[in-house]
């Protein structure tokens, strides 16, 4: 993702508007020369399935942004970071590919993403199936994608538990039995301060008969690294041990390799019934760290132990669509298997705990001599997720319409994390795990069952009322082992084990908890069609996120949190559909929201923190200026604040305490992560240049600064993330079935802060703060051919 961190003052917006003016002037000049005959100008219809039906975007009374196939290609979108910057209602925190926490409309408290933390508040879907996992949704390579839909606000009626603040849907192109089609693209690119990368991707749509077709898609990508692991040393004060990274120092060490494929089959059994089975898989291997340490230098760190991740996943899904009488019937089911192996340098934790508390004195070898106290983490995460949905809907052309069904999902997360110190004495180890000071070996299961429905009635030709509700049951369990061996701690870890089922290979069980909840989320909507091209709507809706287990035995479970949304929106087309302007104004009340933080010994603690209110405006505009020239833009203003103190503890009844003399975050504190203002603007001109089809495009993304933590002390240690602006440009030529394109991302090679963090609790490790930057300037050349 390419961004610019320096545009943070009032005057800093000048380069954006100067660039826009220059680009617009150039495009206008080209337009005046190239266009010789007048042609009708208009915008194409955008079809979405946000309400579980295929509908014109302009007829759906929901705040939606949709990026279609052509738009995704034109913006050079290949992954999550690429498309999310064009969705102003969406914000995120990321540490590396595949590990991003997504938020919408400012509904964020910070600290999420831990394996024992809260479920996500934004649902991510691949076609009909949820792909949201505890530590981040799948980072699906974006190629041969029909569209990306972003539904802002609670989608609790139709999408359920992890769609509290919104939903993002990635819709793939389906097999088409009406004709053969194929495409491939080849790309080579260069990253400033880094190396060379390349992309190969292609698909073929092959009809096997009039009623059967198969679609095969494949991709291979290498992203060049740009972070240097600079040579250096570290001396521990207690033991005097000095370590160095001579065997790991390397330039551009954070490269990424991604390979994947998708196979989809469409079988039309008859005029009424279609079956579409799909299998999709991807392997993504990342080396190094995707953050830098400003104390070492720009795009530089000094780390001492292996850092990598290998993310392998495969999803098998099936959709069955048909009709029974006049009812549309859909079954959508999937099974996802995801395996993630990680290595992480954790020597900051070792160094600061040794410096502040003398922890280095505890780490001895078998001879009783001090050993190198550096810690590093080896992690294995094994996910399985199955989901099933059955729904029916009545005909769209009736005054009274219904869509509803039942849903079930079950996600299992098997967690193994070994915190290791080389040459650690046998009696300090967790039994059965060499050199392991701390072990987490647990099985987390999240279950969700629901029944849902929405009923719409056309009161008049212009006024429609919709009411919906989702009844849910959730069941969250966490079982296994966490902690030290008895040689280090006699009362925790192995010392706290009890009789019960043991997770395979773990030494014993000291955690076995579960929590069950049930409830419902309502929705009411009124939509008024002013004329065929304009509508306004009012919505009241609720979203929820299930509660769960705190693994620290002294803490109670945390409960579900609910988000209540009040929204006024509009969908309008003007000037014979040359201008499209949509938007929404909303207020959302977030009650008893879940807040995760690192507590004693780095254990995640989740508490229902209190109350917050979010007020905002979001809008998007598409303008067909003249034949071939289109300008699109979208923006969001988000004001998210606490409405009660966050004291950091609960009362005797388990409710968050808000009356305290020294709150960790007082009422009025801005919620973290989400910028107050985020916007983007794209200008594209397509024209004829001799015998060639040509285009010029410029895109700009801007957002203000944000905090990474809710708590005042901790956010002061980490520091505020500055605002930034990015500029991307492209130019291309095409003829018949081929195209060639030159593009630049982050053209001015600026730094943005996507995330700032310390390796352990800020009050301990805050002396070394890391910044996850945007990708430096990337220059790419792409060749494509269609058949």
């Amino acid at each position: 993702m390419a961004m610019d961190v320096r545009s943070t003052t009032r005057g800093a917006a000048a380069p954006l508007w100067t660039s826009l003016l220059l680009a617009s002037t150039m495009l206008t000049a080209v337009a005046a020369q190239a266009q010789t005959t007048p042609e009708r100008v208009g915008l194409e219809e955008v079809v979405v399935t946000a309400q579980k039906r295929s509908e014109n975007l302009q007829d759906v009374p929901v705040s939606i942004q949709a990026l279609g196939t052509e738009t995704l290609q034109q913006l050079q979108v290949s992954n999550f970071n690429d498309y999310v910057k064009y969705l102003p209602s969406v914000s995120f925190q990321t540490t590396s590919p595949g590990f991003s926490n997504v938020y919408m409309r400012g509904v964020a408290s910070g600290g999420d993403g831990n394996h024992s933390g809260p479920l996500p508040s934004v649902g991510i879907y691949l076609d009909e199936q949820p792909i949201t996992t505890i530590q981040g949704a799948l980072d699906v390579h974006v190629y041969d994608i029909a569209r990306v839909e972003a539904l802002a606000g609670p989608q609790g009626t139709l999408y359920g538990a992890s769609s509290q603040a919104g939903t993002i849907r990635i819709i793939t192109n389906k097999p088409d039995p009406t004709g053969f089609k194929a495409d491939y693209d080849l790309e080579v690119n260069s990253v400033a301060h880094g190396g060379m990368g390349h992309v190969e991707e292609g698909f073929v749509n092959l009809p096997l008969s009039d009623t059967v077709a198969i679609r095969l898609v494949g991709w291979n990508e290498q992203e060049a690294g740009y972070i240097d692991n600079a040579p250096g040393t570290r001396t521990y004060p207690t033991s005097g041990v000095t370590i160095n990274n001579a065997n790991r120092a390397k330039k551009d060490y954070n490269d990424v390799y991604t390979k994947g494929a998708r196979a989809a089959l469409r079988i039309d059994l008859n005029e009424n019934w279609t079956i579409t089975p799909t299998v999709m898989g991807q392997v993504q291997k990342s080396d190094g760290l995707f953050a830098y340490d400003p104390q070492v230098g720009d795009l530089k760190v000094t780390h001492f132990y292996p850092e990598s991740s290998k993310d392998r996943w495969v999803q098998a899904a099936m959709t069955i669509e048909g009709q029974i009488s006049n009812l549309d019937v859909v079954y959508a089911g999937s099974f996802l298997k995801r395996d993630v192996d990680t290595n992480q340098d954790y020597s900051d934790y070792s160094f600061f705990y040794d410096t502040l508390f003398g922890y280095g004195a505890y780490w001895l070898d078998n001879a009783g001599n001090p050993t190198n106290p550096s810690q590093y983490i080896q992690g294995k995460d094994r996910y399985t997720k199955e989901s099933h949905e059955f729904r029916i809907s009545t005909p769209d052309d009736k005054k009274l319409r219904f869509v509803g069904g039942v849903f079930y999902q079950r996600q299992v997360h098997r967690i193994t994390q070994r915190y290791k110190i080389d040459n650690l004495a046998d009696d300090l180890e967790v039994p059965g795990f060499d050199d392991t000071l701390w072990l987490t070996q647990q099985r987390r299961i999240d279950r969700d069952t629901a029944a849902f429905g929405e009923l719409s009635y056309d009161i008049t030709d212009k006024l429609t009322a919709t009411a919906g509700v989702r009844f849910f049951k959730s069941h969250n369990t966490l079982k296994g082992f966490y902690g030290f061996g008895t040689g280090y701690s006699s009362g925790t870890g192995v010392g706290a084990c009890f009789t019960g089922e043991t997770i395979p290979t773990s030494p014993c069980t000291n955690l076995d908890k579960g929590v069950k909840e049930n409830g419902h989320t309502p929705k009411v909507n009124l939509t008024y069609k002013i004329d065929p091209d304009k509508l306004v709507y009012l919505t009241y809706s609720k979203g929820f996120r299930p509660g769960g287990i705190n693994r620290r035995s002294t803490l109670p479970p945390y409960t579900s949190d609910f988000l209540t949304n009040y929204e006024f929106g509009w969908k309008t087309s003007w000037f014979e559909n040359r201008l499209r302007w949509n938007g929404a104004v909303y207020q959302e009340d977030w009650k008893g929201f879940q807040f995760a933080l690192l507590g004693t010994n780095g254990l995640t603690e989740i508490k229902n923190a209190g109350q917050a209110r979010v007020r905002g405006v979001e809008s998007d505009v598409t303008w067909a200026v003249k034949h071939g020239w289109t300008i699109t833009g979208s923006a969001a203003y988000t004001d998210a604040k606490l409405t009660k103190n966050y004291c950091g503890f609960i009362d005797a009844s388990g409710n968050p305490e808000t009356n305290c003399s020294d709150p960790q975050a007082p009422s009025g504190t801005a919620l973290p992560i989400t910028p107050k203002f985020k916007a983007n603007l794209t200008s594209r001109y397509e024209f004829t240049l001799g015998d060639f089809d040509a285009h010029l495009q410029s895109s700009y993304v801007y957002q203000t600064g944000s905090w990474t933590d809710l708590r005042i002390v901790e956010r002061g240690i980490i520091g505020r993330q500055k605002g930034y602006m990015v500029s991307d440009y492209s130019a291309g030529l095409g003829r018949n079935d081929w195209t060639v394109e030159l593009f630049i991302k982050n053209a001015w090679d600026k730094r943005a802060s996507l995330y700032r963090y310390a390796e352990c609790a800020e009050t301990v490790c805050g002396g070394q703060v890391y910044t996850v930057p945007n990708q430096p300037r990337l220059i790419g050349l792409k060749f494509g051919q269609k058949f």
Side-chain angles (χ1 to χ4, degrees), residues 35-294:
Q35 187 174 334
T36 58
T37 58
E39 295 187 40
R40 186 182 182 279
V41 178
L43 299 171
E44 293 184 357
E45 178 181 296
V46 179
V47 176
V48 298
T49 52
Q51 296 191 120
K52 308 286 188 177
R53 304 172 183 266
S54 293
E55 300 172 286
N56 184 342
L57 172 70
Q58 295 304 105
D59 294 331
V60 181
V62 176
S63 181
I64 309 174
Q65 272 196 275
L67 305 176
T69 302
E70 288 189 1
T71 300
L72 293 169
Q73 293 173 345
Q74 292 166 2
L75 295 173
Q76 308 299 329
V77 170
S78 64
N79 55 39
F80 170 82
N81 283 17
D82 286 339
Y83 68 72
V84 77
K85 67 182 182 181
Y86 294 103
L87 303 174
S89 295
V90 181
S91 55
F92 70 103
Q93 287 184 328
T94 183
T95 56
S96 61
F99 296 92
S100 296
N101 299 311
V102 188
Y103 307 93
M104 296 185 77
R105 284 189 172 179
V107 180
S109 60
D112 299 328
N114 186 277
H115 55 73
S116 299
L119 286 165
S121 62
V122 173
I124 313 290
Y125 277 70
L126 179 59
D127 291 322
E128 294 279 353
Q129 294 80 21
I131 57 171
T132 317
T133 61
I134 303 301
Q135 292 176 282
L138 304 182
D139 192 359
V140 179
H141 181 78
V142 179
Y143 178 72
D144 193 42
I145 298 299
R147 64 189 176 276
V148 174
E149 297 178 1
L151 289 62
Q155 306 298 323
T157 303
L158 294 181
Y159 292 98
S162 285
S163 292
Q164 178 188 49
T167 302
I168 296 175
R169 305 179 70 227
I170 303 169
I171 312 297
T172 62
N173 285 315
K174 304 301 187 293
D176 182 2
T178 63
F180 174 84
K181 184 183 292 185
D183 188 0
Y184 72 87
D185 291 286
L186 304 174
E187 176 188 323
V188 61
N189 56 61
S190 175
V191 176
H193 318 287
M196 300 288 293
H198 58 84
V199 184
E200 300 84 37
E201 50 196 9
F203 80 85
V204 59
N205 182 87
L206 184 64
L208 303 179
S209 72
D210 292 341
T211 58
V212 179
I214 189 170
R215 196 177 190 99
L216 304 174
V217 188
W219 57 90
N220 177 61
E221 179 179 14
Q222 178 186 345
E223 299 176 59
Y226 48 84
I227 301 291
D228 296 343
N229 192 14
T233 61
R234 167 171 272 166
T235 300
Y236 290 92
T238 299
S239 63
V241 170
T242 298
I243 59 174
N244 68 74
N245 67 345
N247 63 335
R248 301 207 173 273
K250 182 182 177 182
K251 291 180 66 66
D252 311 329
Y253 87 133
N254 66 319
D255 42 15
V256 183
Y257 302 87
T258 305
K259 294 182 179 181
R262 184 175 81 244
L265 179 68
R266 176 189 173 109
I267 305 173
D268 294 330
L269 300 177
N270 54 41
E271 293 183 354
N272 293 329
W273 289 91
T274 298
I275 299 177
T276 310
T278 304
V279 177
M280 184 173 181
Q282 182 173 284
V283 177
Q284 187 171 69
K285 185 177 183 299
S286 304
D287 295 319
L289 193 70
F290 288 77
Y292 69 94
D293 182 351

Side-chain angles (χ1 to χ4, degrees), residues 116 127 163 186 208 224 331 409 512 533 554 629 639 692 705 737:
S116 299
D127 291 322
S163 292
L186 304 174
L208 303 179
Y331 164 78
Q409 74 172 358
D512 188 355
D533 296 324
T554 56
W629 186 9
D639 185 21
F692 298 96
D737 60 358

